[in-house]
Amino acid sequence: MIDQLNQFEQAALARLSGLAEAAALQAWKSETFGKQSLLSTALGELGKLPKEERPAVGKRTNEIKRALEAAFAEKESAVRAAELERSLRAEALDVTLPGRPLRRGRLHIANQNLRQIYSIWADMGFQIYRSREVETDEYNFGLLNMPPHHPARDMWDTFHTPTPGIILRTHTSPGQIHAMRELYPDPIRVILPGMVYRYEQITVRSEIQFNQIEGLAVGKGIRMTDLKGTLTDFARRMFGQTVRTRFRADHFPFTEPSAEMDVECFVCGGQGCPVCKQTGWLEILGCGMVHPAVLKNGGYDPRVYSGFAFGMGPERMAMLKYKIEDIRYFWGNDLRFLEQF
Ligand code: DAH
């Protein structure tokens, strides 16, 4: 029996030394230590041997088992190291190759344009005040001097939510009330930029969402001349120092008096062309002196305080500036458009 075991050991070691792959090693392992192997059967049948042989056979079987296990472990780590070495060599990286260039991103044209406008207003002493996009009917209309059923509400086609009285803001003007209520009794000079939403048919000139920039100045002794001077200065910084501007009387419920501001058409220089519809002028914003009722709703006593406000459409302005003929390009996510800026 001992001879048989010794032969088994020699044969197993001989086969093991010739192996070079992990799969073959696993096969060797199950042949050598598996249930059918001589090692297992020898131990299993120990009881059938004559009593005096049993200790020697048992001892030898265990020795061989341990020796084979040790040989296996050694071989296994050698094979692993060799395989690693092989794969490192085969899949070698040439670290001296130049890397793949990363595509450089850019700001969206709408954001580039917004930032330019922010910095002009910042230079003029206006801070940015952020206001919510989901509003109550009261802030969007009521507190801006448009009680329920006021006909002026028809100027803004509105997205309503399933919650009665909760809407998407149709303009940035409700931010005026938030700013006043938060900042009272301090003087105010803020711009309120952000998305507004309108339940409108989408055309080349109108989208269901777009940015607006509201402006609000409140203090003592603020007059219409301050409004005109400030907005004219803005237009010059935005469109060039020599640009001509004009104000036309208009109506908004939250300002009195109200106006619209035009800049000279820079496509035709004021001569009249298709872009300005032959008028020589381009409308860029609505504005006016804050209505006493609005000041009061914001917490400011209109007998003591006055102020001006304005609301402009930055995308409309960018369209004029870059001669973009369709407002839908802004949110269409078409790289052929976006990469031009
Ligand atoms: N909220 C107006 C709109 O969406 C724009 C506007 C006009 C804002 C006059 C003002 C303003 O602050 O004084 O059409």
Side-chain angles (χ1 to χ4, degrees):
M1 188 67 202
I2 298 224
D3 286 349
Q4 242 176 304
L5 283 166
N6 288 341
Q7 271 170 23
F8 174 81
E9 181 186 23
Q10 292 314 313
L13 287 174
R15 264 186 299 123
L16 182 64
S17 72
L19 300 181
E21 276 169 25
L25 272 185
Q26 287 312 313
W28 181 92
K29 190 181 180 186
S30 52
E31 278 162 30
T32 309
F33 304 115
K35 284 210 179 78
Q36 310 297 333
S37 77
L38 185 64
L39 283 179
S40 305
T41 48
L43 283 175
E45 288 168 8
L46 219 49
K48 294 182 191 159
L49 290 177
K51 248 202 179 107
E52 56 289 359
E53 284 182 32
R54 282 183 210 164
V57 172
K59 184 167 167 254
R60 186 71 192 119
T61 308
N62 281 322
E63 278 168 9
I64 290 175
K65 195 170 178 217
R66 249 172 282 139
L68 289 176
E69 276 167 355
F72 175 81
E74 197 179 310
K75 185 74 181 177
E76 192 183 37
S77 69
V79 166
R80 278 220 189 110
E83 281 187 347
L84 179 63
E85 177 73 22
R86 225 179 302 147
S87 84
L88 283 178
R89 202 163 300 146
E91 295 156 27
L93 284 181
D94 182 353
V95 294
T96 65
L97 281 175
R100 294 192 190 95
L102 277 184
R103 281 205 345 157
R104 187 132 182 237
R106 72 191 76 210
L107 280 180
H108 191 286
I109 169 65
N111 287 327
Q112 289 179 36
N113 184 52
L114 283 173
R115 289 190 184 189
Q116 188 196 354
I117 297 172
Y118 297 164
S119 80
I120 292 174
W121 285 110
D123 285 347
M124 291 165 63
F126 283 70
Q127 289 188 307
I128 295 182
Y129 186 99
R130 295 269 171 198
S131 182
R132 64 201 68 174
E133 293 180 16
V134 178
E135 269 297 357
T136 59
D137 182 278
E138 200 194 5
Y139 271 86
N140 196 81
F141 295 116
L143 295 168
L144 293 172
N145 207 23
M146 285 175 276
H149 310 299
H150 192 288
R153 289 181 173 221
D154 286 351
M155 296 202 294
W156 297 274
D157 293 307
T158 308
F159 280 112
H160 294 262
T161 71
T163 311
I166 304 295
I167 62 172
L168 299 187
R169 67 177 175 189
T170 59
H171 52 175
T172 44
S173 302
Q176 291 188 29
I177 305 287
H178 290 293
M180 282 191 275
R181 288 187 170 179
E182 189 175 317
L183 300 173
Y184 177 83
D186 293 339
I188 298 176
R189 261 189 287 174
V190 292
I191 55 168
L192 300 117
M195 275 287 171
V196 302
Y197 302 87
R198 301 223 182 139
Y199 185 45
E200 274 180 11
Q201 191 177 0
I202 299 173
T203 69
V204 293
R205 303 269 303 151
S206 61
E207 256 284 17
I208 58 170
Q209 69 172 90
F210 51 94
N211 283 294
Q212 273 194 339
I213 298 180
E214 191 82 12
L216 176 67
V218 176
K220 289 177 184 163
I222 293 182
R223 298 180 302 183
M224 188 81 182
T225 46
D226 297 311
L227 160 77
K228 292 180 77 173
T230 307
L231 287 174
T232 304
D233 193 18
F234 167 78
R236 290 184 180 147
R237 291 173 190 238
M238 184 79 194
F239 298 108
Q241 285 299 319
T242 56
V243 74
R244 289 194 304 151
T245 54
R246 72 174 183 185
F247 289 84
R248 281 178 293 110
D250 200 347
H251 171 76
F252 297 101
F254 32 88
T255 42
E256 182 58 38
S258 306
E260 281 195 319
M261 183 187 185
D262 297 340
V263 293
E264 180 182 44
C265 177
F266 30 79
V267 178
C268 61
Q271 299 302 302
C273 71
V275 173
C276 59
K277 299 191 195 101
Q278 308 303 330
T279 63
W281 296 96
L282 299 167
E283 176 200 323
I284 63 163
L285 55 83
C287 58
M289 300 306 290
V290 182
H291 194 286
V294 175
L295 281 172
K296 202 183 288 167
N297 290 335
Y300 286 79
D301 182 348
R303 287 167 304 184
V304 180
Y305 294 92
S306 59
F308 65 78
F310 57 85
M312 56 177 97
E315 276 90 62
R316 284 275 176 90
M317 280 160 47
M319 287 172 78
L320 298 174
K321 194 162 164 187
Y322 299 108
K323 309 205 176 87
I324 298 165
E325 70 262 13
D326 191 329
I327 201 168
R328 293 172 292 190
Y329 287 139
F330 281 95
W331 320 121
N333 262 347
D334 186 337
L335 286 180
R336 289 171 302 177
F337 169 72
L338 296 173
E339 284 178 350
Q340 292 179 44
F341 303 98

